[in-house]
Amino acid sequence: MNFFHDHILSIILLTPLAGMVVLLFIPGENKNAIRWWGNLVMFAGFLASLPLVFWFDQEPAKEQLFKFTEIHPWIASIGAEYHLGIDGISFLLIMLTTVLGFLAVLSSWTAVEERAKEYYAMFMLLQVGMLGVFMSLDFFLFYVFWEVMLVPMYFIIGVWGGPRKLYAAIKFFLYTLTGSVLMLLGILTLYFRYAKDTGHTTFNLLDLMSHSNAWPFAMQVWVFAAFAIGFAIKVPMFPFHTWLPDAHVEAPTAGSAILAGVLLKMGTYGFIRFSLPLLPRASADPTVVKVMVWLSIIAIIYGALVSMMQRDMKKLIAYSSVSHLGFCTLGIFALNPHGLSGSVIQQINHGISTGALFLIVGLIYERRHTREIKEFGGLSNVMPRYATLFMIVMLSSIGLPLLNGFIGEFTILQGAFEAHWQWAAWAVAGIVLGAAYMLWLYQRTMFGPCENPKNQALKDLNLREMMTLIPLIVWAFWIGIYPKPFFNVLEAPIRQIVQTVNPTFGASAKARVNPQPAAEPPSAALGGRMAETAAKHAGVAH
């Protein structure tokens, strides 16, 4: 048991990889065995991550609030190590990855017939890359996992995607690779500057963070720009978002769910984990903050407006991701506890709600082989279970109270208002527009008479299909009704980030709550001293 506890992160990380190795020995013709094995491996990965839920609060933090740390020599000549560890931020994203990874693969049971063995192998490799990104505390190891994750997603889109799959896959690959190269330049800049300052070469993230105040400001700005482009492409932020709709529309259902639910979070995670604590002065520079905030606000409003114009359900949800993730980056660059904690919660919420929306679109696509909104109408008459689950997920996405979206958006807007009320005022427009396009989508597809003959004989959801959605809906209600455990695990790492990047926030917040009396003007102080002197002389005379 001690071995399992001490190496829990490695076990979670390597379970899909071990499953992929075994999968290679299963005959390709035995599709039933491949499906069962693929689902069992992803479910085993989820089960392996479950102890984190019970152990996280009890586990003492070892290195700068990181828990379950493992460190082993790897490439000693360049200072690279196998170094894993998690805090509250990465803990929540790891749980999202293991849950959504299993449900996405479960949704593929009947959707994939050709090259099923390679399909499940790519998903297992993708899972390893995503988990490694969230666990790595070594920059070199992080970059390896970042690139590993790119390859299987390229094949998932390019082999099992729609009619324009090659165009979408190449566009996704080129955009992400461009950002990766710029990010690598930033990593190497920090690596060589640290070696120059200390005489010691390392990719250890914690060592680099401890040296962050020593980086020259000009260097911080250039490295921040390199990181920002790499992470902004992955989010994606406006104007780097153009690869996303094509990738979502052409990817298979499970690929879209994982792309929206987990891969996009690597950009926002990169800002929180690397940009802010490693480059605090550049991150807090007023010009940098204004640029990032206004790009976020443009994404919020632009993504919502474009979503309202879409005729394809998948493309509508893809553009809604641009809008929702604009809220996440707005919360990050509010640079206060409410903004940052709301951003992380909203990243989890987006993975739950938008991941479920892509699964819902995939379920109807399997039956009708079209995603055109005009082809549907009145589906609630023939598919009541489908319509009920769709309604809950849709309300979750628009931020109805008692569901997860409300908690994240409210906390982000609170953080934005604390920074500048104008930011919150502009961002509210995105919530109103988001409700408009989601309610309009639901009304056009679910309500009214079912007049299209092709829809009148559609089968409602079976048990397996319902089980791909129910866990996400339960999680949405949990966050919406009782978010306290989620905020508790985020409190310590968020507080540390705010202290690093915005150290004056605590003092200014206290000043607003407990304002100190204004200093007396010199004339008043002089008058007070003269009065005291006169009183003393009067006392002596008496």
Side-chain angles (χ1 to χ4, degrees):
M1 190 63 181
N2 285 339
F3 178 85
F4 183 77
H5 179 278
D6 294 342
H7 299 86
I8 180 69
L9 296 185
S10 289
I11 291 169
I12 297 170
L13 177 64
L14 298 176
T15 296
L17 187 63
M20 187 184 77
V21 172
V22 175
L23 178 66
L24 299 178
F25 295 96
I26 300 177
E29 301 79 22
N30 195 344
K31 293 182 179 179
N32 210 33
I34 291 170
R35 290 191 189 99
W36 275 105
W37 180 250
N39 281 272
L40 284 173
V41 169
M42 300 301 276
F43 185 61
F46 165 66
L47 291 179
S49 69
L50 268 184
L52 291 178
V53 177
F54 305 101
W55 294 346
F56 188 83
D57 286 335
Q58 286 76 32
E59 179 73 9
K62 297 176 182 177
E63 303 175 82
Q64 297 185 19
L65 301 180
F66 288 95
K67 303 183 178 185
F68 305 102
T69 54
E70 299 177 43
I71 184 165
H72 305 285
W74 185 25
I75 311 175
S77 59
I78 61 172
E81 299 167 316
Y82 176 80
H83 190 186
L84 306 180
I86 60 171
D87 60 1
I89 299 167
S90 42
F91 161 63
L92 292 180
L93 289 167
I94 286 169
M95 295 310 302
L96 175 68
T97 304
T98 58
V99 171
L100 205 55
F102 166 62
L103 296 178
V105 167
L106 181 62
S107 73
S108 306
W109 192 276
T110 57
V112 175
E113 293 294 334
E114 294 183 2
R115 299 191 176 187
K117 182 175 178 178
E118 293 87 345
Y119 177 83
Y120 286 101
M122 288 297 104
F123 262 96
M124 292 176 194
L125 184 59
L126 178 64
Q127 189 82 341
V128 173
M130 294 187 298
L131 291 169
V133 164
F134 296 134
M135 293 178 183
S136 298
L137 294 182
D138 182 276
F139 243 144
F140 189 86
L141 184 65
F142 162 80
Y143 190 78
V144 168
F145 283 125
W146 182 277
E147 293 300 295
V148 163
M149 161 208 71
L150 175 62
V151 176
M153 196 68 213
Y154 168 80
F155 284 111
I156 288 170
I157 298 171
V159 176
W160 296 277
R164 299 173 70 240
K165 57 190 179 184
L166 289 179
Y167 168 77
I170 292 171
K171 192 174 183 180
F172 162 77
F173 191 91
L174 291 179
Y175 264 74
T176 310
L177 186 63
T178 301
S180 299
V181 171
L182 289 172
M183 186 173 65
L184 179 61
L185 292 176
I187 293 171
L188 292 176
T189 301
L190 297 180
Y191 172 80
F192 286 113
R193 180 69 194 209
Y194 183 84
K196 178 183 177 182
D197 290 349
T198 66
H200 172 60
T201 56
T202 185
F203 285 100
N204 188 310
L205 184 61
L206 306 183
D207 290 342
L208 296 174
M209 282 182 181
S210 66
H211 197 66
S212 60
N213 289 324
W215 312 125
F217 176 72
M219 189 194 86
Q220 286 199 31
V221 171
W222 282 107
V223 174
F224 181 92
F227 281 1
I229 294 173
F231 297 144
I233 289 172
K234 184 65 77 175
V235 170
M237 292 180 70
F238 179 90
F240 304 105
H241 64 283
T242 57
W243 65 268
L244 182 68
D246 294 311
H248 270 314
V249 168
E250 300 305 324
T253 297
S256 293
I258 287 293
L259 180 60
V262 182
L263 261 71
L264 305 188
K265 310 306 175 300
M266 293 179 180
T268 49
Y269 175 79
F271 280 119
I272 295 174
R273 173 65 71 233
F274 304 110
S275 296
L276 267 59
L278 277 171
L279 310 163
R281 286 193 288 160
S283 300
D285 181 72
T287 303
V288 170
V289 170
K290 285 179 183 177
V291 169
M292 301 305 292
V293 164
W294 284 109
L295 287 178
S296 301
I297 291 171
I298 290 170
I300 291 170
I301 298 173
Y302 167 81
L305 287 172
V306 177
S307 292
M308 296 183 72
M309 307 302 295
Q310 299 307 311
R311 301 176 180 178
D312 183 297
M313 286 193 282
K314 226 178 180 185
K315 190 169 278 191
L316 184 151
I317 299 167
Y319 276 108
S320 78
S321 292
V322 176
S323 181
H324 286 148
L325 285 159
F327 278 100
C328 295
T329 51
L330 172 63
I332 291 170
F333 287 95
L335 301 180
N336 56 42
H338 282 130
L340 280 161
S341 57
S343 174
V344 178
I345 294 293
Q346 190 63 5
Q347 290 170 44
I348 305 300
N349 294 341
H350 180 264
I352 294 169
S353 303
T354 307
L357 283 171
F358 277 116
L359 294 176
I360 283 169
V361 172
L363 291 170
I364 200 67
Y365 182 78
E366 281 188 43
R367 289 160 168 76
R368 279 294 321 277
H369 299 289
T370 182
R371 295 181 299 265
E372 290 289 320
I373 296 171
K374 66 182 181 181
E375 290 290 320
F376 300 101
L379 289 182
S380 60
N381 298 314
V382 293
M383 302 177 69
R385 291 194 292 270
Y386 178 83
T388 302
L389 297 179
F390 189 0
M391 179 189 68
I392 297 171
V393 174
M394 177 268 299
L395 294 174
S396 160
S397 180
I398 67 177
L400 186 76
L402 298 183
L403 284 165
N404 57 338
F406 174 76
I407 300 298
E409 288 175 351
F410 180 86
T411 313
I412 289 170
L413 289 174
Q414 187 176 1
F417 190 90
E418 288 172 356
H420 289 284
W421 69 267
Q422 295 94 334
W423 299 353
W426 280 102
V428 165
I431 296 177
V432 177
L433 293 171
Y437 63 70
M438 288 306 301
L439 290 169
W440 195 26
L441 169 66
Y442 191 81
Q443 179 262 327
R444 286 183 289 172
T445 54
M446 297 295 119
F447 292 154
C450 185
E451 296 175 343
N452 190 332
K454 297 178 181 178
N455 298 331
Q456 292 170 357
L458 293 177
K459 293 182 180 179
D460 208 351
L461 302 185
N462 58 37
L463 180 60
R464 177 189 61 82
E465 291 169 331
M466 291 177 66
M467 289 311 299
T468 62
L469 298 173
I470 288 174
L472 297 176
I473 289 172
V474 170
W475 201 355
F477 274 110
W478 180 10
I479 295 176
I481 295 171
Y482 189 61
K484 186 173 182 289
F486 299 89
F487 284 106
N488 283 348
V489 300
L490 293 175
E491 183 180 0
I494 294 299
R495 183 174 62 247
Q496 186 180 55
I497 291 171
V498 173
Q499 288 172 352
T500 301
V501 76
N502 191 11
T504 61
F505 174 79
S508 60
K510 288 179 183 176
R512 287 195 297 270
V513 176
N514 300 309
Q516 298 297 318
E520 292 181 314
S523 59
L526 178 60
R529 286 196 295 272
M530 291 174 65
E532 283 183 24
T533 304
K536 286 179 183 177
H537 285 303
V540 171
H542 185 268

